[in-house]
Amino acid sequence: MLSNSSKYALKAVLYLGINSSEEKKVLSKEISDRTNIPKAYLSKILQPLSRHHIVSSVRGPGGGFYLSKENRAVPLIDIIHIIDGDHRLTSCLLSLKECNAEHPCPLHDLVGDTKVRFVKNLEGTTVEDLVADIEAGRSFLPL
Amino acid sequence: MLSNSSKYALKAVLYLGINSSEEKKVLSKEISDRTNIPKAYLSKILQPLSRHHIVSSVRGPGGGFYLSKENRAVPLIDIIHIIDGDHRLTSCLLSLKECNAEHPCPLHDLVGDTKVRFVKNLEGTTVEDLVADIEAGRSFLPL
DNA sequence: TCTTTTTTATGATATTTATCATATTCTAGG
DNA sequence: CCTAGAATATGATAAATATCATAAAAAAGA
């Protein structure tokens, strides 16, 4: 469903959503320590996120990672697409190119709209939505 | 979601569902040729399926693989469990051990019951159900 | 401009998954 | 009981993913 890497990406972004701001930047080492994501691996994941403006970063002393207002408005699906590409989530259960609603593979109706709805949820939910849930105690920050 | 191996397993079982019977056994080579599953890899997948009585097999001249009446009544989830284990399908989206409905991770409600329902469908659907769909033209056999 | 702090980039290793190859066991038939 | 046809078992290789390590670039401050 999701690769390890995109799970880590989501965790890291959520950590920044809760613990960072333009004024309070966070070191990758801190994210790594608190979330138990291996340090060097995390760095490799943060790079494309930074390049694609999912997270913000400044280097040098006093630098670090943080989420800007714009970053917080990013839909979750973008994070997954950047890390996993856009095929992994949407492809047919049997990885058949020719499978669709009009010409369904045998498993097609077993997933039915469930996967479609899940993807729609990922498109319609932003980072700040999840941060709000965590801050309201409706879910917990994965550490 | 599903490993390559369990996709192959499902395809192979469906091929047998359509093309085999107690009287008409099928060589692994034929399955491989028709479904484009690599021959040696397919053999490795058929072995645990045979051991767990998901498919039937006899060796020696005139032998091969086939589905018995009992094999056809096997729910799909069994095939996936044998190949992938039972964690891959049911685990939390972020692979968090502590995630559940009362203590949900931030993504929990995005999947919501959709995954639960999918698994229920896999439990409630048998090989013969899918074979019937294919034979009735409601879906196609993946070749 | 030098040093330190931090991200960014690149490359190396390890682990898992997928694939290939071959030897072994079983069974039917001559 | 010998031979050939098949599944079964085991081990080797390749490719993808995850992880580790280090060097380079940028930015701030002295």
Side-chain angles (χ1 to χ4, degrees):
Chain A
M1 186 89 94
L2 302 182
S3 71
N4 225 333
S5 295
S6 61
K7 290 175 190 171
Y8 283 165
L10 288 165
K11 285 188 193 179
V13 169
L14 289 175
Y15 183 86
L16 288 174
I18 296 290
N19 296 103
S20 82
S21 69
E22 194 111 20
E23 299 80 40
K24 183 169 178 301
K25 304 183 179 61
V26 166
L27 302 190
S28 70
K29 174 135 191 1
E30 175 183 331
I31 307 178
S32 160
D33 286 347
R34 297 295 314 285
T35 62
N36 291 308
I37 302 172
K39 184 172 72 66
Y41 192 15
L42 172 64
S43 300
K44 216 163 204 170
I45 290 168
L46 286 173
Q47 286 164 32
L49 295 182
S50 172
R51 232 179 301 120
H52 288 88
H53 309 293
I54 306 294
V55 304
S56 302
S57 66
V58 307
R59 33 185 170 187
F65 293 92
Y66 67 97
L67 296 194
S68 67
K69 197 89 184 163
E70 296 78 44
N71 294 152
R72 291 172 188 269
V74 166
L76 303 176
I77 191 82
D78 289 8
I79 298 173
I80 294 167
H81 276 169
I82 285 168
I83 303 292
D84 285 348
D86 56 358
H87 197 250
R88 183 164 189 146
L89 260 183
T90 52
S91 73
C92 155
L93 267 191
L94 293 176
S95 305
L96 300 170
K97 183 74 192 60
E98 334 82 62
C99 173
N100 57 57
E102 290 78 43
H103 189 244
C105 84
L107 297 191
H108 193 88
D109 290 336
L110 294 188
V111 240
D113 61 333
T114 64
K115 192 168 55 174
V116 176
R117 267 197 293 160
F118 174 50
V119 172
K120 277 210 186 314
N121 282 343
L122 289 173
E123 288 166 352
T125 307
T126 66
V127 173
E128 68 189 341
D129 291 335
L130 293 192
V131 169
D133 282 346
I134 296 170
E135 288 178 340
R138 287 188 294 271
S139 66
F140 65 90
L141 177 65
L143 290 183
Chain B
M1 186 88 95
L2 302 182
S3 72
N4 224 333
S5 295
S6 60
K7 290 174 192 174
Y8 283 165
L10 288 164
K11 287 187 192 179
V13 168
L14 288 175
Y15 183 85
L16 288 174
I18 297 289
N19 296 103
S20 82
S21 68
E22 195 112 20
E23 299 80 39
K24 182 170 178 302
K25 303 184 180 60
V26 166
L27 301 189
S28 70
K29 174 132 190 6
E30 174 184 332
I31 307 177
S32 160
D33 287 346
R34 296 296 313 285
T35 62
N36 292 309
I37 302 171
K39 182 173 73 67
Y41 192 16
L42 173 65
S43 299
K44 217 164 205 168
I45 291 168
L46 287 173
Q47 285 164 34
L49 295 182
S50 171
R51 230 179 304 120
H52 288 88
H53 309 293
I54 305 295
V55 303
S56 302
S57 66
V58 308
R59 35 185 170 187
F65 293 93
Y66 66 96
L67 296 194
S68 67
K69 197 88 184 163
E70 295 80 42
N71 295 150
R72 291 171 188 270
V74 166
L76 303 176
I77 192 81
D78 290 7
I79 298 173
I80 293 167
H81 277 168
I82 285 167
I83 304 293
D84 285 346
D86 56 0
H87 198 251
R88 182 165 188 146
L89 259 184
T90 52
S91 73
C92 156
L93 266 192
L94 294 176
S95 305
L96 301 169
K97 184 72 193 60
E98 333 84 59
C99 173
N100 56 59
E102 289 80 43
H103 188 244
C105 83
L107 297 191
H108 193 88
D109 290 335
L110 294 187
V111 240
D113 61 334
T114 63
K115 191 168 56 175
V116 176
R117 267 196 294 160
F118 174 51
V119 172
K120 278 210 186 316
N121 282 343
L122 289 173
E123 289 165 351
T125 308
T126 66
V127 172
E128 69 189 342
D129 290 335
L130 293 192
V131 168
D133 282 346
I134 296 170
E135 288 178 340
R138 287 188 294 270
S139 65
F140 65 91
L141 177 66
L143 289 184

